[in-house]
Amino acid sequence: MNQTNFNRSARILRAVLFSAGIAALLAMLPLSASAAGLDNSGRQLYLTHCAGCHGTNGISAVPDAKDFSRVELMAQPDQNLLNVIRAGRNMMPSYLGILSDQEIISIINHIRTLN
Ligand code: HEC
């Protein structure tokens, strides 16, 4: 094989590998999308239900929503936070019947990691 043919084969091989890579990535997309749909992690629940007001990073996005960076707030035991989240308070909606206690606890665990 002369140099020109070799270069051409190498280019073709690269193109084939590249398309195979793209195909593999595309094949994974529906999988990860459905995995995200089933994602019940505290982080995912937080992003779905709470981040609209409390911000992705726990810095409030609306007036009056509490910043989870406030130490006094997060020093409260899980049970207190759970009660507020279940019952709602003023502008904050109640999550009773929307989220299970177990889901609220995973959200609390997640917001304790924000600061
Ligand atoms: C519609 C906007 C909104 C949404 C959505 C929302 N919150 Fe709030 N949240 C607020 C506001 C406003 C306050 C302040 C309430 C007050 O004390 O008047 C608050 C307060 C809190 C507090 C502080 C309670 C305390 O002891 O002072 C916690 C904890 C909290 N929210 C958690 C959550 C969690 C977890 C979610 C999601 C499941 C959530 N919030 C969803 C608006 C919201």
Side-chain angles (χ1 to χ4, degrees), residues 46 49-50 53-54 62-66 68 73 76 81 84-85 89-93 95 99 107 111:
Y46 176 81
H49 297 279
C50 324
C53 291
H54 290 283
V62 297
D64 299 335
K66 300 292 164 71
F68 298 134
L73 171 61
Q76 298 182 68
L81 297 169
V84 177
I85 297 164
R89 185 184 282 172
N90 301 320
M91 285 282 295
M92 161 141 166
Y95 285 91
L99 296 169
I107 293 177
I111 62 187

Side-chain angles (χ1 to χ4, degrees), residues 7-68:
N7 283 342
R8 189 179 300 137
S9 319
R11 258 202 319 274
I12 292 169
L13 183 63
R14 270 200 303 272
V16 167
L17 287 176
F18 182 71
S19 341
I22 297 283
L25 281 177
L26 288 177
M28 276 155 58
L29 272 182
L31 194 73
S32 51
S34 66
L38 295 173
D39 187 352
N40 268 345
S41 69
R43 178 176 173 279
Q44 190 55 51
L45 289 168
Y46 176 81
L47 292 175
T48 305
H49 297 279
C50 324
C53 291
H54 290 283
T56 326
N57 296 317
I59 309 293
S60 50
V62 297
D64 299 335
K66 300 292 164 71
D67 279 355
F68 298 134

